[in-house]
Amino acid sequence: MSTRLLIIGPPGAGKGTQASRIAERYGIPAISTGDIFRANIKGGTELGKQVQAIIEQGELVPDSLTNEIVRDRLHQDDAQGGFLLDGYPRNVEQVHALDDMIDGDALVAVVLLEVDTDEVVSRLLKRAEIEGRVDDTEEIIRHRQDVYAAQTKPLVELFGERGILVAVDGIGAVDEVTERIFSGLDAQLASKTVA
Ligand code: B4P
């Protein structure tokens, strides 16, 4: 069975932090749409120029662009045995696009990192001091939380109905959160293998 996973949660929940650990444990690539966009902005590519202003304002990049990037990435050799998508899908349209790319039933688990708004805002303000990401100003951070609530949060119910949601408390030390994710994922993977 190929290990096809998603990780979702509000901006600042620790998705990127946990994604690399999950990917290493299950031997799959972690694919972050946010990282792909930032690398293109840094490299000054045509895609980077198209998305820079959108990301700086904390808006979502248009689905047409984002879906194509993911489609291309999932065709690469290293994703054939499974993958972890980080930050995608982010709205219902992207879920439908992903369902078309991979047969929706092929998703094994969706990790939901649960962290309240005050905690995520304070984490991102701390990151702003260290990394200086342009979308980590307080105003844009709060706007990104609103975009998450309006567009991404509805996906939690949708994946819950599919019986693949693994909800994890994202508050606590990074290692503790990782252990919670591993135990939730191991149980979900075992149930899928038996089914
Ligand atoms: P992302 O790159 O996904 O940015 P993010 O939501 O802020 O998550 P990130 O992974 O960076 O933060 P994390 O929670 O790991 O997206 C950026 C932008 O790209 C979007 O706003 C949008 O414009 C665009 N985009 C991306 N995907 C898209 C899509 N599918 N469709 C349309 N547009 C898209 O970590 C946050 C901080 O918390 C880190 O500093 C970390 O050190 C810290 N942290 C982690 N775990 C912690 C813990 N347990 N305790 C304390 N701090 C912790």
Side-chain angles (χ1 to χ4, degrees):
M1 182 188 59
S2 104
T3 312
R4 292 168 160 174
L5 311 175
L6 310 182
I7 184 164
I8 66 172
K15 298 184 298 290
T17 309
Q18 298 296 337
S20 55
R21 293 166 172 230
I22 299 168
E24 189 182 349
R25 179 166 213 247
Y26 296 99
I28 49 177
I31 300 169
S32 157
T33 39
D35 283 352
I36 293 171
F37 291 138
R38 278 187 292 278
N40 276 276
I41 292 171
K42 203 169 167 208
T45 68
E46 201 44 52
L47 171 66
K49 286 177 195 149
Q50 276 177 279
V51 302
Q52 183 161 13
I54 302 170
I55 289 186
E56 285 176 1
Q57 286 157 24
E59 301 293 344
L60 293 185
V61 171
D63 292 338
S64 53
L65 263 181
T66 311
N67 291 335
E68 270 325 293
I69 285 162
V70 174
R71 193 184 303 277
D72 283 352
R73 183 63 187 85
L74 293 186
H75 274 123
Q76 290 175 22
D77 286 349
D78 66 338
Q80 300 319 303
F83 50 78
L84 170 68
L85 280 169
D86 162 11
Y88 180 95
R90 245 178 165 93
N91 59 29
V92 174
E93 288 71 24
Q94 292 183 9
V95 173
H96 294 152
L98 180 63
D99 284 346
D100 280 348
M101 286 176 221
I102 59 154
D103 175 13
D105 289 341
L107 280 178
V108 179
V110 178
V111 176
L112 166 67
L113 268 185
E114 297 182 300
V115 180
D116 60 66
T117 306
D118 287 347
E119 170 72 16
V120 288
V121 170
S122 109
R123 283 184 191 180
L124 292 177
L125 287 173
K126 202 179 287 172
R127 180 171 74 185
E129 286 171 21
I130 302 163
E131 296 180 17
R133 246 173 71 170
V134 284
D135 58 347
D136 276 348
T137 65
E138 179 150 11
E139 189 194 346
I140 301 294
I141 288 168
R142 292 206 180 268
H143 181 61
R144 282 158 57 211
Q145 302 298 326
D146 292 343
V147 170
Y148 174 81
Q151 303 215 37
T152 312
K153 218 167 168 205
L155 308 191
V156 171
E157 198 179 333
L158 193 154
F159 289 125
E161 283 164 6
R162 292 187 186 183
I164 53 172
L165 198 67
V166 175
V168 172
D169 178 0
I171 305 253
V174 172
D175 286 349
E176 279 171 38
V177 177
T178 306
E179 282 313 312
R180 286 179 208 142
I181 293 174
F182 287 172
S183 73
L185 271 180
D186 285 349
Q188 174 68 14
L189 290 170
S191 76
K192 280 275 181 175
T193 311
V194 170

